[in-house]
Amino acid sequence: MVKSPLQIARESYFPKLPASLKGAVKIVEGNKTESVADQADIKKMFPNTYGMPVITFEPGSESKEYPAVKVGVILSGGQAPGGHNVISGLFDGLLNCNKENKLYGFLGGPSGLTDNQFIELTADVVDHYRNTGGFDIIGSGRTKLEEEAQFDKVIENCKALGINALVVIGGDDSNTNACVLAEYFLQKKAGIQVIGVPKTIDGDLKNEVVETSFGFDTACKTYSELIGNIQRDANSAKKYYHFIRLMGRSASHICLECALQTQPNITIISEEVEAKGMTLDDIVDNIADIVVKRAENGDNFGTILIPEGVVEFVPAMKKLISELNDILAKHETEVNVLDSNKDRRDFVATKLTEESATVFTHLPNSFANQLMLDRDPHGNVQVSAIETEKLLIDMVKAKLKKLKKSGDFSGKFGGLGHFFGYEGRCATPSNFDADYCYSLGMTASLLISEGKSGYMASVKNLTAPADEWIPGGAPITMMMNMEKRHGAMKPVIQKALVVLDGAPFKKLEENREDWAMGTKYVYPGPIQYFGPKEVCDTTTHTLRLEQAR
């Protein structure tokens, strides 16, 4: 393997740890918990894992002797910077608990569990991946484990290896699956624990016990570097509006964080669009209005940040997409046999309500086609394939053409579209994510050694120095509510949306006009791994504002 100088240097970095993970540990249990909503339904579905207490680990007075265990780990869903450090922390933590412990990595995500594809993770393997980006140590996948036959196959494969516990590193859906597995294993008395670890660059897996998901910090810093580069170009050439779509299907945390880091002219926040009942035309009018005002100041350039999921937050579009999800789930075979996109559009239009059919038939054909693309494993539209930035460029251009004709716009408009997605998912983790993920892995090893199941690893107080972080675990059931998936109500971890009266959004809101009319760009530059702590170890603006540090 050929390694870059940065890879070689990062191999020698030892992540900073909370004080309670540096020696003997004492476990402290809090009060019993309940789900965030739909308590009766969740309790009925998870009788063995509902109501458990939140756990914290504090420095102990004497070391414990833990029995030897064999642990399996999977990486589930999209990549996020820091996954390798979770595995490194898990590996080291297990050996700290008992030198006889073994760790197995199941290959390709959840399917590795059912197909029994695995490798033993030894020091020779793990050491090559410390502090690196990506999930390539064992690969990832999006297979959904939801059938009892799959659960039984997992039990069979784990029993054959002598595995006592599984660690699922994933987002909200993956951790929901982890909780379902934990419940099933307890019902079957399988003797297999399940622990989850919170991963998603989207930042929407957070709550009172999970302050942020890992990967969010690194991804936002990576995107912000690129946005800063583009803004410097825009301010140099002074002739283009850059429409930059950023990841975040269900929430706008990435868009908001990148705006706070780079100060673009316009930032669209999906949750605000929904709260104000805005239409696509409203969004276009707002953009066009700022373009016109900047042109009056002689500025025919700018940057616009767009969350990839914004179309699902426009009320009429949200209703349309919800109907499309149900129709395409129920009529999948009928739709797939049709020869052309026009035939598929015409067929779907006959199944929509009158209001949604009107919206659907008035969309540009290319955009309507994108709304009908194959759904993801959870039955949702794949918004990353919907080129919202191009749609908005075309609509703004058309609006400005009318304004120019009426004499209300005398400037110039050139729009360029960008989508930043994969660029941020496998970046070398920031010091924060390297430290945080290693602590999460260590915490997961302790939860296993303490015999816990149905818990998510948690590390809190993250804006303080790492020595003051508080590791522990939270019952996954406490994060759940009931939502409609594939046309049926299912238990899932509740997504955290941007809070419009929260400090991060308020910070954006109070600066919006200034950033729109001025050119107040900030150029964050690349992630720094070496140097003073204010350059290398800062957390996100979002986390600092939320915790008022």
Side-chain angles (χ1 to χ4, degrees):
M1 179 190 294
V2 178
K3 297 181 181 179
S4 70
L6 179 65
Q7 281 179 276
I8 294 167
R10 291 306 282 170
E11 279 185 4
S12 64
Y13 176 77
F14 190 83
K16 297 179 284 293
L17 279 170
S20 57
L21 296 181
K22 293 178 180 177
V25 173
K26 177 176 68 173
I27 186 170
V28 179
E29 294 191 354
N31 297 323
K32 289 188 174 182
T33 58
E34 60 180 16
S35 59
V36 292
D38 308 306
Q39 288 84 9
D41 290 333
I42 303 296
K43 185 175 182 179
K44 184 178 179 181
M45 300 176 81
F46 297 91
N48 293 286
T49 51
Y50 189 87
M52 299 186 298
V54 172
I55 289 168
T56 54
F57 292 121
E58 298 181 358
S61 56
E62 57 184 48
S63 297
K64 295 183 182 180
E65 291 186 11
Y66 293 110
V69 291
K70 291 182 178 180
V71 178
V73 61
I74 64 167
L75 294 161
S76 180
Q79 289 69 247
H84 289 161
N85 268 33
V86 175
I87 291 176
S88 299
L90 176 63
F91 177 78
D92 292 349
L94 287 171
L95 291 184
N96 288 345
C97 291
N98 190 312
K99 294 298 182 186
E100 300 302 315
N101 285 344
K102 290 187 180 296
L103 180 62
Y104 297 89
F106 286 91
L107 307 178
S111 63
L113 281 169
T114 53
D115 297 341
N116 204 31
Q117 299 294 311
F118 64 90
I119 59 169
E120 183 178 350
L121 293 171
T122 61
D124 287 343
V125 177
V126 173
D127 288 352
H128 285 298
Y129 291 91
R130 293 179 186 273
N131 310 307
T132 62
F135 279 6
D136 44 309
I137 187 171
I138 52 173
S140 186
R142 295 186 180 274
T143 300
K144 193 169 175 64
L145 303 180
E146 52 189 351
E147 305 292 338
E148 286 195 5
Q150 292 174 303
F151 303 160
D152 291 336
K153 192 67 180 173
V154 172
I155 293 174
E156 178 188 329
N157 292 337
C158 286
K159 290 287 188 184
L161 276 172
I163 283 178
N164 312 93
L166 290 173
V167 175
V168 177
I169 302 169
D172 52 342
D173 285 313
S174 300
N175 274 281
T176 296
N177 284 351
C179 195
V180 171
L181 278 176
E183 180 67 33
Y184 187 79
F185 292 166
L186 285 166
Q187 288 176 10
K188 294 292 184 179
K189 296 181 170 55
I192 304 170
Q193 303 159 243
V194 185
I195 300 297
V197 178
K199 171 235 58 165
T200 172
I201 66 166
D202 290 354
D204 56 8
L205 175 47
K206 64 177 180 178
N207 46 56
E208 61 183 284
V209 286
V210 178
E211 293 180 353
T212 188
S213 54
F214 81 75
F216 178 70
D217 182 89
T218 305
C220 288
K221 286 173 178 170
T222 302
Y223 297 141
S224 293
E225 177 196 354
L226 298 173
I227 294 164
N229 293 348
I230 285 173
Q231 289 187 151
R232 193 128 230 172
D233 185 271
N235 201 16
S236 300
K238 301 187 186 301
K239 61 180 180 179
Y240 292 117
Y241 273 89
H242 296 268
F243 288 63
I244 304 169
R245 177 165 52 103
L246 296 163
M247 294 194 86
R249 183 190 78 207
S250 302
S252 307
H253 297 293
I254 290 178
C255 218
L256 176 56
E257 174 61 28
C258 290
L260 295 173
Q261 289 194 32
T262 62
Q263 302 183 181
N265 303 104
I266 301 170
T267 303
I268 299 169
I269 300 296
S270 297
E271 292 84 344
E272 181 184 23
V273 168
E274 183 173 49
K276 292 182 176 178
M278 296 172 71
T279 64
L280 276 174
D281 285 337
D282 291 333
I283 295 171
V284 168
D285 287 347
N286 286 348
I287 296 172
D289 182 57
I290 291 170
V291 171
V292 169
K293 289 177 179 175
R294 283 180 62 80
E296 290 169 357
N297 293 336
D299 295 327
N300 292 300
F301 65 93
T303 49
I304 299 156
L305 303 190
I306 307 159
E308 68 172 347
V310 67
V311 292
E312 291 190 290
F313 284 80
V314 174
M317 292 294 294
K318 183 176 184 178
K319 183 174 185 293
L320 167 62
I321 289 170
S322 177
E323 289 184 28
L324 285 173
N325 288 343
D326 289 343
I327 290 168
L328 293 172
K330 293 175 184 175
H331 301 280
E332 182 179 7
T333 303
E334 295 161 90
V335 172
N336 287 343
V337 298
L338 296 172
D339 292 331
S340 68
N341 286 327
K342 182 181 185 306
D343 290 338
R344 285 188 279 272
R345 291 196 306 271
D346 291 345
F347 174 83
V348 165
T350 64
K351 304 294 181 183
L352 293 166
T353 60
E354 184 177 351
E355 178 187 357
S356 292
T358 301
V359 174
F360 185 67
T361 53
H362 282 80
L363 290 171
N365 289 340
S366 60
F367 194 71
N369 293 340
Q370 290 172 359
L371 289 180
M372 293 195 302
L373 292 172
D374 290 340
R375 269 35 189 172
D376 68 16
H378 307 292
N380 300 313
V381 63
Q382 298 192 60
V383 293
S384 62
I386 298 174
E387 297 175 322
T388 316
E389 71 281 15
K390 293 183 180 179
L391 175 72
L392 290 176
I393 288 171
D394 289 344
M395 292 180 74
V396 169
K397 186 185 292 184
K399 174 74 177 179
L400 292 171
K401 188 176 180 180
K402 290 180 181 178
L403 292 174
K404 181 161 278 192
K405 192 172 183 180
S406 64
D408 295 310
F409 174 57
S410 57
K412 297 177 181 178
F413 175 78
L416 294 176
H418 312 266
F419 172 47
F420 296 151
Y422 292 97
E423 292 86 349
R425 301 204 312 176
C426 289
T428 300
S430 62
N431 283 355
F432 172 81
D433 268 329
D435 298 343
Y436 178 43
C437 290
Y438 190 77
S439 292
L440 284 171
M442 292 277 284
T443 301
S445 74
L446 283 169
L447 290 168
I448 291 166
S449 297
E450 290 285 349
K452 303 302 178 183
S453 190
Y455 275 82
M456 187 186 293
S458 165
V459 179
K460 297 170 65 177
N461 201 31
L462 294 172
T463 53
D467 194 61
E468 299 172 26
W469 290 356
I470 303 169
I476 300 175
T477 51
M478 73 178 289
M479 309 172 197
M480 286 185 166
N481 65 178
M482 301 295 291
E483 292 180 16
K484 195 173 187 180
R485 298 286 176 90
H486 288 292
M489 296 303 291
K490 302 272 188 179
V492 294
I493 293 173
Q494 187 178 70
K495 287 185 182 296
L497 305 181
V498 168
V499 179
L500 298 183
D501 60 359
F505 179 77
K506 289 292 185 185
K507 181 75 172 178
L508 171 68
E509 195 172 41
E510 69 190 35
N511 287 284
R512 257 194 176 146
E513 186 173 350
D514 186 35
W515 295 355
M517 300 315 302
T519 301
K520 302 293 180 73
Y521 302 151
V522 174
Y523 313 112
I527 296 171
Q528 299 297 313
Y529 303 99
F530 314 99
K533 64 180 181 180
E534 61 270 19
V535 176
C536 300
D537 297 335
T538 56
T539 57
T540 57
H541 289 250
T542 298
L543 200 52
R544 280 178 279 154
L545 287 164
E546 286 173 343
Q547 298 191 11
R549 288 181 186 262

